Amino acid sequence: MNVQFKKGVLDLCVLAVVAEGDCYGYELVKRISENIEIAEGTIYPLLRKFQNEGYCETYLTESSGGPPRKYYRLTVAGRRMRDQLIAEWTKFSKSVDTIITANKGGRSNG
Amino acid sequence: MNVQFKKGVLDLCVLAVVAEGDCYGYELVKRISENIEIAEGTIYPLLRKFQNEGYCETYLTESSGGPPRKYYRLTVAGRRMRDQLIAEWTKFSKSVDTIITANKGGRSNG
DNA sequence: GTTAGTACCTTGCTTTATGTAGTAGTGTGT
DNA sequence: ACACACTACTACATAAAGCAAGGTACTAAC
């Protein structure tokens, strides 16, 4: 899969998933990778960034069969950012679709 | 507009536009920029790359009011690459849409 | 005690695309 | 002569994102 496509998109994927239910990093890797491959080395720095920017808060819970999980919960600012990124993405992907389809059927070729 | 989103996408935009009718560089900048901002410094190296990789050929035509235009025409390989990139893009953007919508409605949160 | 799965984290590499700014030349209009 | 729109091109700087690889640590299974 084209790595370039992912640039900037994983941010909004993470925010979108966490927005619908608190998640821990390891879980996010598994869940998102079902659709778009993502590595731990990508997720953890991202989550730290989000936390530094005030988009999410964390809390720990015990895990049966492993070290404690660090759950991430979106803040209000995080939700706002998620909405904004999704809007940008939607606009962008529509623009691309316009370009790759709107040229069908010929043009005056001035 | 999120610069990161563009990564890797402009390739397929250029190929898609040229596929539907021969274009020259300056024209591509104008046309694509109607939807997604793109600079000359991005287009020309891209076109050169495509030519080097055998995805397009060029021919010159005179212009009314300016230097001659260098038109780009896709080769068969170029068309194949365009089809492939569009398929990849379509798959990718669908995956993103799945992620940002499929998490609505809650989950067991195990 | 060794392997494997869960879970967290960091460093540094690679990529590689995109944009800025500048060069150069043509034709039109004033 | 000068400015401006059209057209092509390039060198360098910017940007930052994502990944590979390595490290720590707990639990369970053999």
Side-chain angles (χ1 to χ4, degrees):
Chain A
M1 174 60 46
N2 197 325
V3 177
Q4 297 303 318
F5 285 167
K6 298 186 195 176
K7 304 268 177 170
V9 175
L10 296 181
D11 287 51
L12 87 106
C13 289
V14 170
L15 288 176
V17 173
V18 178
E20 300 303 329
D22 299 357
C23 282
Y24 53 100
Y26 191 78
E27 182 189 8
L28 280 166
V29 175
K30 301 282 184 204
R31 289 167 64 82
I32 294 179
S33 289
E34 286 169 17
N35 293 288
I36 298 172
E37 268 184 72
I38 186 173
E40 291 188 21
T42 304
I43 277 275
Y44 288 111
L46 207 54
L47 289 170
R48 179 167 299 285
K49 191 187 77 177
F50 287 155
Q51 198 176 1
N52 289 339
E53 291 170 346
Y55 298 149
C56 58
E57 309 160 329
T58 64
Y59 56 91
L60 290 174
T61 67
E62 285 184 51
S63 145
S64 57
R69 298 167 172 170
K70 192 191 248 181
Y71 273 89
Y72 290 81
R73 172 174 44 220
L74 282 203
T75 61
V76 173
R79 251 160 229 288
R80 224 180 293 128
M81 177 52 73
R82 157 207 171 230
D83 290 343
Q84 185 188 321
L85 284 178
I86 288 183
E88 277 182 30
W89 163 256
T90 303
K91 178 161 176 266
F92 177 79
S93 71
K94 277 196 182 128
S95 295
V96 175
D97 288 341
T98 298
I99 290 170
I100 66 182
T101 60
N103 293 288
K104 304 253 177 180
R107 51 196 168 79
S108 42
N109 209 9
Chain B
M1 173 60 46
N2 197 325
V3 178
Q4 297 304 317
F5 285 169
K6 299 186 195 175
K7 304 271 178 170
V9 175
L10 296 181
D11 288 53
L12 88 106
C13 288
V14 169
L15 288 176
V17 173
V18 177
E20 300 304 329
D22 299 358
C23 282
Y24 53 99
Y26 191 77
E27 183 190 8
L28 280 167
V29 175
K30 301 282 183 205
R31 289 167 63 81
I32 294 180
S33 288
E34 287 168 17
N35 293 288
I36 298 171
E37 269 185 72
I38 185 174
E40 291 187 22
T42 305
I43 278 275
Y44 288 111
L46 206 53
L47 289 170
R48 179 167 299 285
K49 191 187 77 177
F50 287 154
Q51 198 176 359
N52 288 339
E53 290 171 347
Y55 298 148
C56 58
E57 311 160 328
T58 65
Y59 57 92
L60 289 173
T61 66
E62 286 186 48
S63 143
S64 55
R69 297 167 172 169
K70 190 191 249 183
Y71 274 89
Y72 291 81
R73 173 174 45 222
L74 283 203
T75 61
V76 173
R79 252 161 230 288
R80 224 179 294 128
M81 178 50 74
R82 157 202 169 237
D83 291 343
Q84 186 189 320
L85 283 179
I86 288 183
E88 275 182 31
W89 163 256
T90 304
K91 177 160 175 268
F92 177 79
S93 71
K94 275 194 183 129
S95 296
V96 175
D97 289 341
T98 298
I99 290 171
I100 66 183
T101 60
N103 293 288
K104 305 253 178 182
R107 52 195 165 78
S108 42
N109 209 9

